[in-house]
Amino acid sequence: MAESDPALLVHDVRRGDDAQIDGYLRHLADADCFVLEPDATTGPDGMRNVAVWPPDTKVWRDGGQVAGVYVPDREPIAIGSRVVGGGGYANPSTSDLDLPDVSPDCLTGGGEFAMLHTITSVTRSISERFRWG
């Protein structure tokens, strides 16, 4: 039986890059979401934002495992990498956008939907640097 790709949220919001988005990419398999956490050691009670990617972003798999995401016109972004960019945030309680339902584990510590419009830098984690050189 073929594995299906996890849910990956993409947006088509045409707004500016007013907010700085900065976080470490994680994939929560049990909750079926990609999230951005403010630091590499955030636990389950820390802030966790749902990552919402630019159009045409795809799941990146390596050896059958979810390895990160392919964002158009970039190198793949590995799980554990720090992603910095511009975009906007949408609070699920107050936004006028039609936001999808996600597991409560995807939004913790006051987290919001982080809609990346531009990505200015990606810093791979130490383990990814050793793995890919």
Side-chain angles (χ1 to χ4, degrees), residues 65-112:
Q65 300 294 315
V66 174
V69 297
Y70 283 113
V71 177
D73 303 320
R74 300 197 62 82
E75 292 290 320
I77 301 173
I79 299 295
S81 296
R82 182 178 179 192
V83 179
V84 178
Y89 289 92
N91 184 303
S93 301
T94 61
S95 177
D96 59 350
L97 297 173
D98 185 20
L99 300 171
D101 290 329
V102 296
S103 167
D105 292 338
C106 301
L107 291 166
T108 60
E112 299 178 302

Side-chain angles (χ1 to χ4, degrees), residues 5-72:
D5 282 333
L8 180 78
L9 299 179
V10 296
H11 67 80
D12 193 22
V13 177
R14 304 284 185 224
R15 294 189 182 170
D17 296 336
D18 297 337
Q20 179 175 345
I21 295 175
D22 185 350
Y24 290 84
L25 178 61
R26 304 275 185 262
H27 174 250
L28 306 179
D30 291 343
D32 195 24
C33 59
F34 286 90
V35 297
L36 294 171
E37 296 178 343
D39 66 52
T41 60
T42 298
D45 296 329
M47 179 181 272
R48 183 178 285 155
N49 295 306
V50 172
V52 185
W53 302 95
D56 299 321
T57 299
K58 307 286 185 221
V59 173
W60 170 34
R61 286 186 171 275
D62 184 24
Q65 300 294 315
V66 174
V69 297
Y70 283 113
V71 177

